[in-house]
Amino acid sequence: MEKSQPNTSKQTKKPRKRAREFIEDWKSRRETFMKRVPTLKKKAEELAELCGIPVCVVYFGLDGTVNVWPEDQTKAEAIIMKYKECSSDCMLKLNLSGMLETMDKKEEQQTWHFVGNQLHKLSLEELQDLMRNLDSKILTVEERMIPNRKSSSNV
C-alpha cells in the first residue's frame, strides 16, 4: 500500500494539453468553445492595448451565428470598413503570395547565397571575404555583450 504525500503546499492543477483535432463529442466541443472564446477576446484586447492598433475578431458560433468583438458594433464596423477600404498597396501587403515575392526579392539582393552545405563552391577570394565579414560580425556582437556583463555585475 502506497503512502500518499501530505498536501503541504498549494497544488495547482495543470491544464492538460489537448491534441489539436476536431472534437467529436458535441458537449465537450461546446465546453471547449465556451472556455476559449473569452480567452480569444482577452488576447485581442491585450493586442489592441499593447500595440495601439484597432483589432476586430469575427467568429462563428457553434450554432452558425456570426459573433464580433469588440461588442460595440460601431467600433467593430469602423475597423471592418477600414480593412475594406484599404488601398491596393495595403491589400498587396496582406496578400501572402505578395509577401513571399517580396521575401524572395530581398533574398536575391543578399551578397551570400548558401543552399545546404555548398560552401565549397566559393572561390578562395570569396571564402576570405566571407571570413572577414563573419569576424566583423562576431566582434560587433562581442562588443554589444561586454557592456551588458559589466552592468549586470554591478547590480
Side-chain angles (χ1 to χ4, degrees), residues 80-104:
I80 292 170
M81 291 306 294
K82 185 176 179 181
Y83 172 78
K84 283 183 173 181
E85 293 170 357
C86 214
S87 69
S88 60
D89 292 339
C90 180
M91 293 305 276
L92 179 64
K93 290 177 185 175
L94 297 173
N95 181 353
L96 180 60
S97 62
M99 185 174 71
L100 292 174
E101 286 175 16
T102 305
M103 288 172 60
D104 287 342

Side-chain angles (χ1 to χ4, degrees), residues 66-78:
V66 177
N67 300 295
V68 179
W69 182 90
E71 306 294 331
D72 182 0
Q73 190 172 359
T74 56
K75 285 183 182 178
E77 284 178 359

Side-chain angles (χ1 to χ4, degrees), residues 48-148:
E49 186 176 323
L50 292 172
C51 298
I53 58 170
V55 175
C56 180
V57 178
V58 179
Y59 62 96
F60 288 93
L62 292 173
D63 57 356
T65 58
V66 177
N67 300 295
V68 179
W69 182 90
E71 306 294 331
D72 182 0
Q73 190 172 359
T74 56
K75 285 183 182 178
E77 284 178 359
I79 295 169
I80 292 170
M81 291 306 294
K82 185 176 179 181
Y83 172 78
K84 283 183 173 181
E85 293 170 357
C86 214
S87 69
S88 60
D89 292 339
C90 180
M91 293 305 276
L92 179 64
K93 290 177 185 175
L94 297 173
N95 181 353
L96 180 60
S97 62
M99 185 174 71
L100 292 174
E101 286 175 16
T102 305
M103 288 172 60
D104 287 342
K105 287 178 185 175
K106 284 182 182 177
E107 188 175 309
E108 287 172 6
Q109 293 172 355
Q110 290 179 345
T111 308
W112 306 103
H113 295 281
F114 298 106
V115 178
N117 190 13
Q118 295 183 1
L119 194 60
H120 63 278
K121 291 186 178 181
L122 298 177
S123 69
L124 179 59
E125 187 178 318
E126 289 172 324
L127 285 170
Q128 289 172 338
D129 286 344
L130 174 63
M131 207 155 100
R132 280 191 290 273
N133 191 350
L134 290 173
D135 285 340
S136 170
K137 291 188 184 297
I138 289 171
L139 285 173
T140 303
V141 169
E142 287 176 346
E143 287 171 359
R144 289 181 182 172
M145 290 173 62
I146 291 171
N148 291 339

Side-chain angles (χ1 to χ4, degrees), residues 34-48:
M34 297 306 288
K35 286 179 186 176
R36 294 203 175 217
V37 166
T39 304
L40 179 65
K41 290 178 182 178
K42 181 180 176 187
K43 293 295 179 184
E45 186 175 20
E46 288 174 3
L47 178 65

